[in-house]
Amino acid sequence: MNEDKTRVLLVDDEEDFRNTLSKRLKERGYEVHTAGSGSAALAILDTVPLDVVVLDIRMPGMSGIETLGEIRAKHLGVEVLLLTGHADVPSAVEGMRLGAFDYMMKPYEFEGLLGKINEATTVKRDREERIRKAEERAQLDKVQKTSWF
């Protein structure tokens, strides 16, 4: 795994859409995983560290909103972009309430989607860096306090 590559999970029940978008993202240098359902996406998230999930809302079985709820419960650091061909206000509100990075409608311009994926990756990596620095400061503070006595 290349640490610099953005790691993306595409979750959509439309296989052609998933495969086409996956191919285009790989051509741009992204590490791409795909899932055809919410439960398959959660299984991948349990085993593969990812930066961004591009998640369809309407899927058979577990919906995108239900999947987003599970992602937030188990994988808090992953950013999620909701992408739907059936936009409605209740799903947009619920998705943002659950912490989606953004809510987009299909068809979505590829370059615009790349911009959103990059923006979400930057937010995730900046947050991880702040956490890492805070942990280092906490360890240094602990060492200083113990060395004074």
Side-chain angles (χ1 to χ4, degrees), residues 38 42 55-57 59-72 82 94 98:
L42 294 171
L55 179 61
D56 188 17
I57 291 180
M59 296 183 290
M62 181 181 269
S63 74
I65 295 297
E66 292 169 320
T67 305
L68 173 60
E70 292 293 318
I71 291 171
R72 283 289 159 254
L82 295 172
E94 185 63 9
L98 289 170

Side-chain angles (χ1 to χ4, degrees), residues 52-97:
V52 178
V53 175
V54 179
L55 179 61
D56 188 17
I57 291 180
R58 282 196 182 175
M59 296 183 290
M62 181 181 269
S63 74
I65 295 297
E66 292 169 320
T67 305
L68 173 60
E70 292 293 318
I71 291 171
R72 283 289 159 254
K74 296 179 180 174
H75 308 281
L76 198 55
V78 175
E79 294 296 337
V80 178
L81 301 171
L82 295 172
L83 183 61
T84 183
H86 307 280
D88 60 50
V89 172
S91 69
V93 169
E94 185 63 9
M96 299 315 283
R97 187 188 71 75

Side-chain angles (χ1 to χ4, degrees), residues 25 28 30 108-119:
L25 289 170
R28 294 291 186 100
Y30 293 82
Y108 203 84
E109 181 186 324
F110 182 68
E111 294 299 326
L113 179 60
L114 286 179
K116 288 293 180 184
I117 290 171
N118 292 336
E119 191 178 322

